[in-house]
Amino acid sequence: MEILRTKDELGHLEVLREKQPLVLVPTMGALHAGHLSLVRLAQQYGTVVVSIFVNPTQFGPTEDLAAYPRNLEHDLDLLAPLAVDAVFVPDVKAMYHRQDEVTIVPGCRARGLCGASRPGHFGGVLTIVAKLFGLIRPDWAVFGRKDAQQCLVIAQMVEELHLRVKLVDAPTVREPDGLAMSSRNRYLVGPDRTRALCLQNALQSAFQQVADGERNVDAVEKLMLESLSEADSVDYVAVREVPDLDKPARMSGRTLLAVAAQVGPARLIDNLVLDVGEDEVVPTGLLTPGPQ
Ligand code: AMP
């Protein structure tokens, strides 16, 4: 496993690139089983490069940048058994050179949901992802469906800037009780950990309601909101069309159910992607083609 820290060291990728497609898995470290599943999926597409970089520009002024968990040694220990080909671990200076650099402005898909409650977040995400794409020039990049809006915002950039990379959205990995794995789950202890299950419960109740025939968007959002009564506050409950994330008049086709709520010290998000037919409703992925 090669550890690469600078643009020059990325030259090592050229040999790997000749043999197989290059697949990038961008992360901010604090790795858990969710990240490792992305790596395993990526290995089906070619030679895997994992990047580990806590990207300052995607954190708002009141967010947890300084406190964000960092433990490179532990992350590398988790990656080593997977036989990852290379890990890119730049420092901030390697990725951001000066004030007033070029940045990416996200499109319409970043307007609502997390984009509304985290101003500037998706601009920071797209800017770092564009830099990583430029530096590594992957054939494929794998992102977690857990961050559904992020996947779709990145897909819009790739499509509209005509980038050559192909994207894969990987299924969400959950704890045995259903809580979506997240680096921020470590902030959840005692009753907060139990209350955190309300996000998954809200999505499952909504799924059941849609499976039973409900197609009214407001009714489904209302049920999700009621199911989040255990949270300290609800950021949003949303039923949105995929891929542009508009609010549909009535549920049909590929649809995102998304929730975000504060539970104790952690802001948690979760979602479910459904293919809503007239008579049938099945969980699906965000991007086509992709694993379900
Ligand atoms: P992060 O380090 O939190 O920026 O996440 C890096 C990548 O891992 C992103 O593409 C996330 O969507 C993905 N990811 C995070 N949590 C999970 C999870 N529980 N299951 C699958 N992918 C995940």
Side-chain angles (χ1 to χ4, degrees):
M1 190 165 76
E2 299 228 41
I3 312 296
L4 311 170
R5 295 180 184 275
T6 63
K7 184 176 173 182
D8 286 347
E9 288 176 9
L10 285 174
H12 289 283
L13 296 181
E14 297 315 310
V15 186
L16 300 175
R17 194 193 304 280
E18 277 167 24
K19 295 187 203 138
Q20 276 200 95
L22 215 54
V23 193
L24 174 63
V25 180
T27 80
M28 296 207 299
L31 301 184
H32 51 64
H35 299 110
L36 301 184
S37 79
L38 264 55
V39 172
R40 284 195 204 91
L41 181 62
Q43 286 174 324
Q44 297 175 22
Y45 290 79
T47 298
V48 175
V49 183
V50 175
S51 64
I52 298 180
F53 179 66
V54 181
N55 175 36
T57 64
Q58 69 188 69
F59 287 79
T62 60
E63 294 181 355
D64 56 347
L65 172 62
Y68 197 84
R70 294 166 169 86
N71 188 340
L72 181 59
E73 219 170 296
H74 185 244
D75 290 342
L76 296 178
D77 285 347
L78 289 176
L79 292 174
L82 298 188
V84 168
D85 301 277
V87 186
F88 181 47
V89 195
D91 62 15
V92 174
K93 274 192 293 208
M95 299 309 290
Y96 293 102
H97 302 282
R98 59 173 188 177
Q99 294 282 308
D100 299 327
E101 286 185 332
V102 170
T103 56
I104 307 276
V105 179
C108 56
R109 295 179 192 174
R111 226 171 354 214
L113 312 185
C114 290
S117 41
R118 303 183 69 188
H121 171 69
F122 286 119
V125 169
L126 288 189
T127 300
I128 195 65
V129 169
K131 282 172 183 264
L132 290 169
F133 285 173
L135 279 168
I136 294 169
R137 289 183 290 116
D139 299 284
W140 295 89
V142 179
F143 294 90
R145 197 174 299 156
K146 154 102 181 354
D147 297 284
Q149 187 177 18
Q150 170 171 282
C151 285
L152 294 170
V153 167
I154 293 169
Q156 189 179 8
M157 172 177 78
V158 166
E159 207 176 302
E160 293 175 4
L161 298 187
H162 307 286
L163 307 182
R164 294 183 63 95
V165 62
K166 294 179 281 298
L167 304 181
V168 176
D169 66 310
T172 301
V173 176
R174 298 178 180 281
E175 301 287 354
D177 63 5
L179 180 68
M181 286 191 185
S182 161
S183 310
R184 293 184 169 106
N185 289 356
R186 65 190 69 198
Y187 304 142
L188 296 169
V189 287
D192 289 346
R193 174 65 182 75
T194 314
R195 288 193 301 134
L197 292 175
C198 66
L199 280 84
Q200 164 70 352
N201 292 341
L203 293 166
Q204 287 306 321
S205 305
F207 179 25
Q208 193 53 55
Q209 190 189 27
V210 181
D212 289 343
E214 184 62 80
R215 296 291 182 272
N216 181 294
V217 172
D218 289 333
V220 177
E221 290 187 345
K222 182 165 172 279
L223 179 65
M224 290 198 290
L225 185 61
E226 285 163 4
S227 311
L228 289 177
S229 60
E230 278 183 279
D232 293 304
S233 60
V234 176
D235 186 350
Y236 59 76
V237 292
V239 175
R240 294 290 182 271
E241 280 172 359
V242 174
D244 276 344
L245 298 179
D246 296 318
K247 185 167 177 174
R250 192 174 175 276
M251 284 176 84
S252 124
R254 208 177 290 205
T255 305
L256 175 71
L257 310 184
V259 292
Q262 187 76 28
V263 177
R267 179 183 181 276
L268 302 175
I269 60 172
D270 202 349
N271 70 75
L272 189 59
V273 191
L274 299 176
D275 199 352
V276 182
E278 271 310 307
D279 305 316
E280 212 192 12
V281 182
V282 282
T284 184
L286 285 166
L287 309 171
T288 317
Q292 304 316 315

